[in-house]
Amino acid sequence: MSFDLIVLGSGPGGYVAAIRASQLGMNVAVVEKSELGGICLNWGCIPTKALLKSAQVYNYISHSEDYGIQIEGEVKPDFEKVIRRSREVANNMSKGIEFLFKKNKITVFKGFGKIIEPGKISVTKEDNNEEIVEASKIIIATGARSKEIPSFKQDKKYIIGYREALVLDKLPESMAVIGSGAIGTELAFFYKSMGTDVTIIEYLPELVPIEDEEVSKQLARSFKKAGIKVMTGTEVNNVEIKDGKCIVNYTDKKGSTSFSCDIVLSAVGITCNIENIGLEELGIELEYGRIKVDENYATNIPGIYAIGDIILGPALAHVASAEGIYCVEKMAGLNIDPIDYNNIPSCVYTTPEIASVGLTEKQLKEQGIEYKVGKFPFTASGKATAAGNKDGFVKLLFDINDELLGAHFIGDNVAEMIAEAVVLKKVKGKGMELVKSIHPHPSMSEAIMEAAAAAHNEVIHL
């Protein structure tokens, strides 16, 4: 069969690219070896947020007396039902992608796709039969998977990755989480909330090391308050399995020692899914282990493009989606602005949440950029006080022309607030415009206005 465009992979980059291409009049096919929606919808973004919502509800109920609500009898989570709900949410989202494909007349080929020549993909189905699909253009959007480390290689039973963490059949008594990025911290918080004794281990000096240092320190304080043991500046040498237990051997500033736990979650990064899809045979160029593309996401082979986690840049679902849209719109001849990679929001859905965009203070100092800081703590927020969780703050960084350089939030629901900073940065708005824009009271978003005011020495409630 022949199409205008074949998209290899149906994650947030692939399915969005396919739908936008169809809207632009292209005849589109998608090749997917597993569930529609890719890792994000099925084993990442969506199911983890379902788990975290269950944890949040349980935490609220457990502290109901703080809100004047008396609950009779024991309150405890049903771990199996929590996991089941998460899977149901993921399955429903995947079915939603199937509906969108039908609505947009996109043809789906189930199986493993390999590019055998420009414009031609071989699809190997479950029964090992092959089908050849042709198109004038191909987008590779095969995403990534959990990274394997030889010294604690995943066995899927004792040493697990994020996929196994989402579907454990019983709640472990103890868990070590190696790595403190979004995946590690979110799952660490979830399992601690469910009742697991959690230790999180980070090689670098701070948790969530790509975030602003003040944000990292606040998360560490909040995690310790929640009962999560935090070990930073710590290297895991190896993990041994003895008598049904994981022995984690590590080295920190005090020396080398070990502790035991039931489960080790490896959350040390991702590996691109680019093996056996025809790159070597076609001579598609790589850089730093990812597919090399130009400003329009074209590879060095005419007619073949790549987007998402398999190219250099932030490995984030919304970035892959934006790249997919830009890629097909350029194919269609539209005159559009390129993606500004300096204005990409990032969120971590722990409690408290983290949201950020732009440069950190450390980066500004390293680059010698003059800046001013506006910061407003949620301890001074009426809405945060009423809600019962005052951990966190809003921090804004402006240049000498009052344009936003970076925004760093930590607190309840801040992932819903960061877009205000993204839009301000995109339109090159001034900090004073935030100060003079009336924000609803009481609201968490008032902290953005107050932080901007603090940068101008006009803060009211601090």
Side-chain angles (χ1 to χ4, degrees):
M1 298 182 66
S2 183
F3 297 85
D4 298 319
L5 172 68
I6 302 171
V7 182
L8 184 56
S10 72
Y15 85 75
V16 169
I19 291 172
R20 184 65 183 125
S22 178
Q23 291 173 345
L24 292 167
M26 299 182 203
N27 184 18
V28 183
V30 169
V31 177
E32 174 57 63
K33 67 175 183 177
S34 189
E35 306 97 335
L36 294 180
I39 291 297
C40 178
L41 265 66
N42 294 282
W43 299 100
C45 318
I46 302 303
T48 55
K49 303 313 166 282
L51 294 178
L52 290 167
K53 187 62 180 181
S54 292
Q56 183 186 55
V57 170
Y58 177 53
N59 285 336
Y60 269 125
I61 294 172
S62 299
H63 296 89
S64 64
E65 290 191 7
D66 295 343
Y67 298 88
I69 307 297
Q70 185 73 38
I71 296 176
E72 299 294 337
E74 184 182 8
V75 176
K76 60 181 181 179
D78 186 325
F79 185 70
E80 289 185 8
K81 287 185 177 179
V82 169
I83 296 295
R84 191 183 313 136
R85 176 182 179 272
S86 171
R87 300 316 309 154
E88 289 171 354
V89 168
N91 291 337
N92 286 337
M93 292 299 295
S94 186
K95 289 177 182 176
I97 302 303
E98 183 178 0
F99 166 78
L100 290 173
F101 279 179
K102 289 179 179 178
K103 176 184 174 184
N104 289 279
K105 297 180 175 57
I106 295 167
T107 303
V108 177
F109 292 88
K110 295 291 288 184
F112 186 87
K114 179 176 182 178
I115 308 171
I116 54 177
E117 62 182 74
K120 191 176 291 187
I121 291 181
S122 170
V123 182
T124 303
K125 301 179 180 180
E126 284 188 356
D127 59 7
N128 287 324
N129 286 324
E130 292 187 16
E131 183 173 5
I132 304 299
V133 187
E134 298 184 21
S136 57
K137 291 182 173 61
I138 294 171
I139 295 177
I140 308 172
T142 46
R145 63 187 184 276
S146 181
K147 186 176 182 179
E148 292 271 12
I149 302 296
S151 55
F152 44 93
K153 191 172 178 62
Q154 297 172 28
D155 61 12
K156 314 300 182 186
K157 182 179 179 182
Y158 295 104
I159 305 173
I160 63 174
Y162 59 81
R163 287 182 72 121
E164 293 77 31
L166 297 181
V167 291
L168 288 180
D169 54 6
K170 65 177 182 178
L171 186 70
E173 290 186 11
S174 56
M175 173 184 284
V177 179
I178 306 176
S180 71
I183 293 171
T185 52
E186 289 178 6
L187 288 172
F189 176 78
F190 166 72
Y191 274 99
K192 177 58 184 177
S193 298
M194 291 293 102
T196 300
D197 182 16
V198 175
T199 300
I200 189 165
I201 306 170
E202 172 56 54
Y203 176 77
L204 294 173
E206 303 286 353
L207 290 182
V208 286
I210 66 170
E211 300 293 340
D212 186 89
E213 285 187 4
E214 285 192 273
V215 169
S216 299
K217 292 180 188 302
Q218 176 61 63
L219 183 66
R221 289 193 295 270
S222 295
F223 267 17
K224 289 173 183 176
K225 186 166 66 174
I228 298 173
K229 186 176 181 181
V230 174
M231 299 168 60
T232 54
T234 301
E235 180 178 6
V236 175
N237 303 318
N238 59 64
V239 177
E240 302 172 275
I241 310 301
K242 292 183 178 179
D243 300 323
K245 287 282 190 177
C246 301
I247 310 301
V248 180
N249 299 299
Y250 67 91
T251 301
D252 60 13
K253 61 183 178 182
K254 296 179 182 178
S256 296
T257 186
S258 65
F259 68 91
S260 68
C261 59
D262 294 325
I263 291 280
V264 170
L265 169 59
S266 177
V268 292
I270 59 171
T271 297
C272 299
N273 295 323
I274 55 176
E275 303 93 344
N276 304 315
I277 60 172
L279 303 187
E280 297 87 354
E281 294 89 336
L282 290 169
I284 292 178
E285 292 182 7
L286 303 181
E287 55 180 342
Y288 305 105
R290 299 191 183 190
I291 297 175
K292 184 178 181 179
V293 295
D294 67 12
E295 67 278 7
N296 294 325
Y297 306 101
T299 70
N300 61 303
I301 304 300
I304 300 179
Y305 302 76
I307 59 171
D309 296 358
I310 57 173
I311 67 172
L312 291 179
L316 298 168
H318 45 281
V319 173
S321 296
E323 289 170 346
I325 290 172
Y326 181 90
C327 184
V328 297
E329 288 185 344
K330 290 298 286 188
M331 285 181 192
L334 300 185
N335 183 20
I336 52 174
D337 293 331
I339 295 170
D340 180 1
Y341 285 94
N342 295 314
N343 195 23
I344 301 293
S346 175
C347 299
V348 182
Y349 296 86
T350 47
T351 295
E353 285 182 354
I354 295 170
S356 62
V357 66
L359 298 172
T360 66
E361 270 204 86
K362 182 179 179 181
Q363 289 169 330
L364 292 173
K365 290 175 181 176
E366 289 173 345
Q367 296 177 33
I369 298 173
E370 188 177 345
Y371 66 96
K372 56 184 177 181
V373 182
K375 184 177 173 184
F376 189 81
F378 285 122
T379 51
S381 163
K383 181 63 181 293
T385 302
N389 190 348
K390 298 184 287 184
D391 280 3
F393 54 84
V394 166
K395 179 179 181 180
L396 301 176
L397 307 170
F398 299 99
D399 66 13
I400 57 174
N401 297 315
D402 203 28
E403 289 186 9
L404 187 66
L405 295 168
H408 306 280
F409 303 173
I410 180 167
D412 272 2
N413 299 313
V414 295
E416 309 298 334
M417 297 162 51
I418 193 65
E420 183 173 355
V422 175
V423 172
L424 184 77
K425 199 169 185 299
K426 179 174 178 58
V427 300
K428 301 187 183 301
K430 305 294 186 180
M432 186 55 73
E433 293 180 78
L434 284 180
V435 180
K436 299 305 181 184
S437 296
I438 299 173
H439 287 62
H441 175 77
S443 70
M444 298 292 284
S445 67
E446 283 179 297
I448 301 174
M449 176 184 69
E450 294 276 21
H456 295 81
N457 298 313
E458 295 184 14
V459 64
I460 299 297
H461 293 99
L462 186 65

